[in-house]
């Protein structure tokens, strides 16, 4: 197993944005609600959930009530702040315009419809203001990303590496970026990092 | 702002200038004024490029005043793209300047019999119009540079590019921004072709020596403006989301919803979205020394625009808006922001509607003229339009014409106008507005204030099955009214969520004009405008059969939700029952 510790300067945080937009994985439990996932597994405060997370998609379906929407295996949960325009309003939780998106809205499932509350992997995407609001929280909590996303992120750093990354510790050893890149490219077969 | 400036381009001895009072049009501005003049004065069956059509350019009711974010300019005519009435509006400086010069509207009438191309100059001393054939086929950026050299940098310009001169149905009219760049466009409906048909290349405005329009009740106005501005700034959308990321902040969300038309509306999700999203765009702009937050005119407090620099850190174009990034991006399978920004610049320079051109190139791609995702080929096609090659002449007339020329069924248009960036199968309520709008497929036609704030036609239950019909109707009414004020439509959501901000808007209008309007009066104005527009279209030959989406939206399911457009025709016919 390879251990890697990258220290990114605050100014380079935006370089991580693509990873957060495209999605990362955390572990949760099947059968719990979106709110339970956010509070219990992601350790987010209810006030943040109620005031900052304005739009929620569960497997591409806009959700109106996060206390009813249930997490399943391979769920993709996308979270967004307030958005402009009529379309922004249409996709909000509890939108007055929800009829505009009727056929694609999340339909509540009966409680206890998922009997086995097993551990499952959930993909989370963060958009717009939530990248800044919640990005560091999730990074501190620890996330899983696909090796393809990680490689794309590292390649994207190439030209501006010195401005963004203050140190690389590969198996606890300070490593030069070129060497690190070569080693990283060998990690293609690794599914998660 | 109590004068209508009429310029008859058919005058025997050259263009004739006439100034007249508002008369029956008193109290109107923006879309209210453009649509009323067109409905009353233009024969509905006339040829849009003929001498009987008129081009009306009108600032909003509050433009030129100190009211925040009041710099929208409306342009109206019979549209060469749809064949119906058209109002297209834009930001930029000219609305504020024209209003300060005292004009409620410029009306271009008739058509010269010679080939001369004209320039109009308006300042505090009056109006001059002269032939200047050295301007022929100048792109907008070159034209404005020339105007700057001739008239100084205190001016602002309204102009057309080569597309307008070639009378293409996708031609726009450009309005200069705060930096005197022709980056703001009234894009929809081919209005640039109508200006071209009048042989007017540019209208140059200089308000030096003029002052801000004064309200009738200054103290009340000042207080209302303060409350209105505070309302916009404290709202999370107008105060945070839009300034930080611009309108393209919608890309990720619409894509997540499966409503982001991809590859000419074949799919509802684009895998390259994170590469062209508002978040990524803002980061790139900041990294290259551009700006992720910028206003399109003075007095804007939302500042949803930005400045896009190329890889060398030089200005390329203004921040491409959501619709543009979608049209030239996902809809053509292109995930490269530099290419999209280049096409945005080319559209602005040639004077083309970015939505229509993106939709057209996607149709051309489906026809086999290029591969989806091939940015270089897309740029080449756009160049053909600017140069007016035979292929370019087809493309420059829009998605419907291009589809017809190449035998493509999948033309995403209503009344001949290309759909914007929301798939109506995934967001069916938007489909209702696309289908029934007087303007052709237009997302901004039903955009404004919540029905339950205005209570237009009573309270609407959004969960009712036919809620989307009622909502679409009421949104269209409210939008027609807002389009008359000169206010940017993005105020709508601060108003939706904050009744005190809505009241502040009414108070702004009342204190400025010394009126005592209520929300009901605003509603009546919206209805009056829509009624006039509907009547014009009916006389031009439109029937309920034109209030429909293309059939394939009812038959072809769109991924990932695999939904079709299911709103019944008889439901669509109820939209204008009030």
């Amino acid at each position: 197993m390879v251990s890697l510790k990258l220290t990114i300067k605050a100014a380079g945080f935006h370089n991580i944005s693509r990873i957060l937009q495209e999605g990362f994985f955390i572990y949760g439990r099947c059968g719990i609600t979106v709110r339970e996932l956010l509070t219990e597994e992601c350790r987010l405060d209810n006030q943040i959930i109620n005031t900052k997370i304005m739009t929620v998609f569960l497997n591409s379906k806009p959700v109106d009530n996060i206390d009813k929407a249930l997490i399943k295996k391979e769920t993709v949960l996308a979270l967004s702040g307030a958005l402009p325009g009529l379309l922004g309003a249409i996709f909000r939780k509890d939108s007055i315009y929800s009829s505009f998106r009727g056929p694609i809205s999340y339909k509540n499932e009966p409680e206890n419809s998922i009997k086995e509350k097993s551990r499952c992997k959930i993909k989370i995407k963060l958009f717009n203001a939530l990248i800044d609001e919640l990005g560091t929280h999730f990074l501190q909590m620890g996330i899983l990303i696909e090796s393809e996303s990680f490689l794309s992120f590292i390649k994207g750093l190439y030209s501006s590496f010195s401005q963004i990354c203050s140190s690389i510790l590969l198996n606890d050893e300070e490593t030069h970026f070129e060497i690190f890149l070569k080693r990283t490219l060998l990690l293609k077969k690794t599914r998660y990092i | 702002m109590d004068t209508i400036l009429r310029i008859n381009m058919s005058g025997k001895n050259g263009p004739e200038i006439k100034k007249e009072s508002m008369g029956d049009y008193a109290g109107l501005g923006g879309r209210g004024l453009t649509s009323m003049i067109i409905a009353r004065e233009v024969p509905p069956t006339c040829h849009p490029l003929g001498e009987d059509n008129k081009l009306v350019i009108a600032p909003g009711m509050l433009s030129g005043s100190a009211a925040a974010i009041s710099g929208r300019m409306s342009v109206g005519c019979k549209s060469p793209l749809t064949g119906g009435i058209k109002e297209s509006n834009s930001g930029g400086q000219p609305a504020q300047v024209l209003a300060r010069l005292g004009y409620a509207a410029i009306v271009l009438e008739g058509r010269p019999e010679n080939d001369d191309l004209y320039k109009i100059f308006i300042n505090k001393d009056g109006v001059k119009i002269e032939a200047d054939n050295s301007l022929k086929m100048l792109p907008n950026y070159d034209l404005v540079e020339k105007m700057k050299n001739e008239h100084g940098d205190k001016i602002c310009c309204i102009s057309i590019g080569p597309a307008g001169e070639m009378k293409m149905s996708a031609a726009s009219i450009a309005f200069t921004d705060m930096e005197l760049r022709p980056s703001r466009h009234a894009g929809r409906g081919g209005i640039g072709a109508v200006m071209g048909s009048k042989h007017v290349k540019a209208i140059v405005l200089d308000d030096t020596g003029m002052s801000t329009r004064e309200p009738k009740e200054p103290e009340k106005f000042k207080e209302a403006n303060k409350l209105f501005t505070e309302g916009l700034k404290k709202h999370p959308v107008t105060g945070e989301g839009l300034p930080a990321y611009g309108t393209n902040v919608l890309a990720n969300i619409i894509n997540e919803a499966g409503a982001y038309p991809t590859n000419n509306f074949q799919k509802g999700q684009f895998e390259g979205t994170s590469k062209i999203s508002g978040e990524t765009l803002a980061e790139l702009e900041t990294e290259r020394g551009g700006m992720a937050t910028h206003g399109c005119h003075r007095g804007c407090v939302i500042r949803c625009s930005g400045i896009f620099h190329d890889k060398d850190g030089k200005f390329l174009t203004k921040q491409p808006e959501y619709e543009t990034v979608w049209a030239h991006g996902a809809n053509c399978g292109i995930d490269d922001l530099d290419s999209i920004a280049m096409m945005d610049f080319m559209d602005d320079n040639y004077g083309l509607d970015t939505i229509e051109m993106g939709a057209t190139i996607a149709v051309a791609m489906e026809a086999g003229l290029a591969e989806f995702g091939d940015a270089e080929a897309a740029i080449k096609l756009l160049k053909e339009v600017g140069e007016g090659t035979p292929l370019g002449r087809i493309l420059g007339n829009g998605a419907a014409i291009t589809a017809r020329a190449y035998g493509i069924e999948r033309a995403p248009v209503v009344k001949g106008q290309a759909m914007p960036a929301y798939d109506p199968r995934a967001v069916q309520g938007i489909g209702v507005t696309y289908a029934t709008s007087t303007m052709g497929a237009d997302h901004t036609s039903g955009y404004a204030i919540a029905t339950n704030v205005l209570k237009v036609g009573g309270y609407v239950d959004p969960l009712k099955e036919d809620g989307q019909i009622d909502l679409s109707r009421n949104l269209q009414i409210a939008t027609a009214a807002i389009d008359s004020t000169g206010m940017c439509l993005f105020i709508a959501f601060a108003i939706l969520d904050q009744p005190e901000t809505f009241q502040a808007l009414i108070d702004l209008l009342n204190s400025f004009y010394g009126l005592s309007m209520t929300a009901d009066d605003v509603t009546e104005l919206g209805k009056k405008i829509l009624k006039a527009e509907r009547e014009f279209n009916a006389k031009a030959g439109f029937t309920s059969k034109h209030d429909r989406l293309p059939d394939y939206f009812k038959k072809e399911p769109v991924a990932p939700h695999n939904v079709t457009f299911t709103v019944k025709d008889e439901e669509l016919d109820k939209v204008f029952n009030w």
Side-chain angles (χ1 to χ4, degrees):
Chain A
M1 182 173 158
V2 177
S3 144
L4 169 68
K5 189 175 178 186
L6 275 180
T7 309
I8 306 285
K9 293 176 191 169
F13 178 69
H14 67 86
N15 290 76
I16 298 169
S17 146
R18 281 269 301 282
I19 291 177
L20 303 176
Q21 290 178 60
E22 284 167 7
F24 55 86
F25 295 89
I26 62 162
Y27 279 105
R29 285 168 293 143
C30 290
I32 62 173
T33 65
V34 169
R35 187 184 295 279
E36 285 165 344
L37 176 84
L38 295 174
T39 52
E40 293 167 20
E41 307 287 342
C42 304
R43 302 193 291 275
L44 289 175
D45 196 89
N46 262 317
Q47 200 202 344
I48 287 179
I49 295 168
N50 294 336
T51 58
K52 302 286 183 187
I53 302 176
M54 307 305 286
T55 307
V56 175
F57 291 91
L58 204 56
N59 296 325
S60 292
K61 293 175 187 293
V63 173
D64 285 301
N65 186 348
I66 60 169
D67 293 309
K68 297 279 183 190
L70 298 179
I71 301 296
K72 290 179 179 177
K73 268 186 190 172
E74 307 294 328
T75 282
V76 179
L77 179 68
L79 307 171
S80 160
L83 285 164
L86 178 61
L87 270 291
I90 286 171
F91 288 114
R92 277 188 211 169
K93 291 179 290 182
D94 286 326
S95 169
I96 190 168
Y97 303 100
S98 60
S99 67
F100 270 43
R101 54 164 160 86
I104 65 165
S105 296
Y106 178 84
K107 307 284 184 298
N108 294 337
E109 293 176 65
E111 278 180 36
N112 300 321
S113 61
I114 301 165
K115 288 187 181 122
E116 198 187 333
K117 312 247 167 164
S118 58
R119 197 164 156 76
C120 61
K121 200 161 78 268
I122 298 141
K123 187 173 194 175
I124 294 189
K125 297 180 182 181
L126 297 180
F127 299 142
N128 49 72
L130 298 188
I131 293 172
D132 284 338
E133 300 265 3
L134 305 182
T136 45
H137 173 83
F138 276 103
L139 287 171
Q140 280 165 357
M141 203 178 89
I143 59 171
L144 301 165
I145 58 173
E146 284 173 333
S147 53
E148 203 179 305
S149 296
F150 183 70
L151 287 173
S152 161
F153 163 66
I154 292 299
K155 283 176 189 168
L157 280 180
Y158 197 86
S159 58
S160 52
F161 180 71
S162 59
Q163 288 100 52
I164 292 161
C165 194
S166 54
S167 81
I168 303 171
L169 291 178
L170 197 57
N171 291 333
D172 296 324
E173 257 182 57
E174 191 74 40
T175 308
H176 189 269
F177 182 63
E178 298 285 351
I179 298 165
F180 161 66
L181 191 64
K182 275 184 197 160
R183 293 280 305 268
T184 307
L185 292 172
L186 295 175
L187 295 175
K188 274 181 188 168
K189 285 182 185 168
T190 309
R191 190 157 178 223
Y192 299 111
I193 295 171
Chain B
M1 205 179 87
D2 52 6
T3 302
I4 294 179
L5 172 64
R6 291 182 185 267
I7 302 177
N8 178 10
M9 301 302 294
S10 298
K12 279 181 189 161
N13 301 312
E16 293 167 353
I17 296 167
K18 194 166 81 176
K19 292 178 189 178
E20 59 186 40
S21 65
M22 294 288 283
D24 291 346
Y25 301 120
L28 293 172
R31 178 173 168 184
L33 186 52
T34 64
S35 287
M36 289 304 168
I37 291 177
I38 298 301
R40 180 186 284 199
E41 300 181 16
V42 173
T45 53
C46 75
H47 193 288
L49 304 177
E51 63 179 349
D52 290 334
N53 198 7
K54 297 187 181 188
L55 187 78
V56 186
I57 302 169
M61 293 162 77
L62 290 168
S63 300
S65 75
I69 208 161
S70 59
R72 300 297 292 189
M73 182 83 96
S74 288
V75 186
C77 60
K78 176 172 174 173
S79 162
L81 186 72
T82 68
I85 199 165
K86 173 57 64 179
E87 186 267 353
S88 183
N89 62 59
S90 172
Q93 284 297 102
Q96 305 283 30
V97 173
L98 187 61
R100 272 187 225 119
L101 284 163
Y103 298 102
I106 300 171
V107 185
L108 300 180
E109 308 175 343
R111 185 178 59 182
E113 286 190 0
N114 58 28
D115 287 334
D116 284 342
L117 192 62
Y118 290 87
K119 175 184 81 175
I120 300 167
F121 180 76
I122 306 173
N123 68 2
K124 67 178 171 42
D125 300 322
V127 181
K128 278 184 206 161
I129 177 161
E130 58 185 17
D132 185 349
N133 291 320
S134 71
L135 307 180
K136 280 189 177 175
M137 295 305 274
L138 277 185
N140 278 313
Y141 273 84
D142 298 309
L143 172 78
V144 169
E145 207 49 41
K146 194 167 160 57
M147 294 300 101
K148 211 188 326 180
N149 290 337
E150 288 176 17
H151 300 283
D153 59 4
K154 303 291 180 211
I155 56 165
C156 61
C157 298
I158 302 168
S159 63
I160 55 169
E165 285 187 65
M166 290 187 277
K167 299 191 264 296
M168 290 170 168
S169 293
S172 63
I173 294 178
F175 295 81
T176 48
D177 57 22
M178 290 195 287
E179 289 75 29
L180 199 38
R181 291 170 176 148
S183 68
R184 309 290 145 185
H185 288 245
R188 309 243 62 196
I191 59 171
V194 178
M195 189 157 155
S197 75
K198 307 295 179 199
H199 294 203
V200 175
K201 178 72 175 176
I203 302 171
V204 181
L205 307 171
D206 183 349
D207 66 351
T208 304
M210 303 300 289
S211 50
T212 303
R213 293 173 66 211
E214 291 300 325
K216 287 236 164 98
E217 299 168 90
E219 285 310 312
K220 281 187 187 167
F221 179 81
K222 202 174 159 189
E223 181 59 20
N225 201 24
K226 188 171 160 248
L227 289 173
F228 184 65
T229 306
E230 281 171 3
L232 294 176
K233 284 185 173 168
K234 78 178 180 193
H235 191 273
V237 168
T238 46
E240 295 168 23
L242 273 170
Y245 304 108
T247 56
N248 194 30
V249 69
L250 283 172
N252 270 324
I253 293 303
I254 305 301
N255 185 62
E256 194 62 29
Y260 200 46
T262 301
N263 293 7
N264 192 29
F265 286 76
Q266 290 182 31
K267 297 183 286 180
Q269 282 182 331
F270 179 49
E271 57 190 28
T273 302
S274 70
K275 292 183 186 166
I276 60 172
S277 67
E279 294 88 330
T280 304
L281 178 60
E283 285 161 14
L284 188 66
E285 284 168 341
T286 307
E287 191 180 301
R288 290 180 177 177
M291 290 170 95
T293 303
H294 191 52
C296 78
H297 69 272
R298 289 191 189 97
C300 174
V301 295
I302 295 179
R303 295 162 58 83
C304 71
S305 190
I307 304 284
F308 187 96
H309 283 181
D310 64 15
K311 284 174 182 163
D312 300 323
K314 289 183 185 148
F315 173 83
L316 174 58
T317 188
K318 92 281 188 186
Q319 181 182 82
E321 291 182 56
Y322 167 72
E323 302 290 340
T324 306
V325 174
W326 159 76
H328 283 307
N331 197 40
C332 295
I334 293 169
D335 63 6
D336 174 41
L337 278 174
D338 283 301
S339 302
I340 293 166
M342 174 55 77
M343 287 188 269
D344 180 69
F345 167 74
M346 291 168 77
D347 286 333
D348 285 354
N349 209 23
Y350 294 142
L352 290 161
D353 174 21
T354 56
I355 296 176
E356 196 66 43
M357 286 322 300
T360 301
I361 291 170
V363 167
M365 286 173 160
E366 183 153 339
L369 270 67
E371 295 288 322
F372 283 110
D374 187 343
E376 210 175 305
I379 289 171
K380 216 168 151 188
L381 289 173
L382 203 48
K383 209 170 165 203
E384 300 245 9
V385 180
E387 289 172 353
T389 66
L391 171 61
R393 294 275 183 161
I394 294 172
L395 301 175
N397 279 292
I401 295 290
T402 301
R404 198 174 298 168
Y406 285 91
I408 298 295
E409 184 195 348
R410 202 180 282 109
V413 301
V414 178
K415 301 183 179 83
Q417 180 168 285
M419 288 178 193
Y422 317 96
D423 196 301
R425 290 164 288 194
V427 198
Q428 309 236 332
I430 283 287
V432 174
T433 302
Y434 284 172
T436 59
S437 156
T438 50
M439 300 291 154
D442 183 351
H443 62 299
T444 65
S445 286
Y447 207 76
I449 309 169
T451 182
N452 292 339
V453 173
L454 273 178
K455 296 193 173 51
V456 185
Y459 183 84
V460 171
D461 179 356
L463 300 176
K464 255 185 6 185
E465 229 174 64
D466 59 352
Q468 59 200 350
I469 299 293
D470 296 336
L471 278 170
S472 176
R473 173 196 307 130
N474 299 336
L475 286 163
Q476 290 191 56
I477 291 169
T479 301
I482 291 294
D483 280 344
S484 301
T485 63
M487 290 286 176
C488 172
L489 271 181
F490 280 130
I491 66 167
F493 294 91
I495 287 171
L496 158 69
D497 291 337
Q498 299 161 180
E500 72 278 11
T501 312
F502 175 63
Q503 188 55 49
L505 173 64
I506 303 268
D507 291 344
L508 269 174
L509 285 162
N510 283 339
S511 57
F512 193 84
Y513 286 96
L515 302 171
S516 50
M517 283 198 304
T518 62
D520 287 344
D521 296 317
V522 176
T523 302
E524 281 313 307
L525 173 64
K527 283 183 178 175
K528 187 177 160 188
I529 295 166
L530 281 178
K531 191 165 172 275
E533 291 172 350
R534 294 274 297 175
E535 281 172 7
F536 181 94
N537 282 355
K539 287 177 193 163
F542 284 84
T543 68
S544 59
K545 303 277 182 297
H546 295 91
D547 288 343
R548 304 286 183 260
L549 298 188
D551 269 1
Y552 74 88
F553 283 96
K554 298 173 193 167
K555 294 175 186 167
E556 289 183 14
V558 67
H561 299 294
N562 296 319
V563 282
T564 56
F565 185 70
T566 55
V567 180
K568 294 185 181 75
D569 290 351
E570 50 269 33
E571 292 297 309
L572 293 174
D573 293 339
K574 288 181 190 168
V575 169
F576 286 94
N577 290 344
W578 64 62

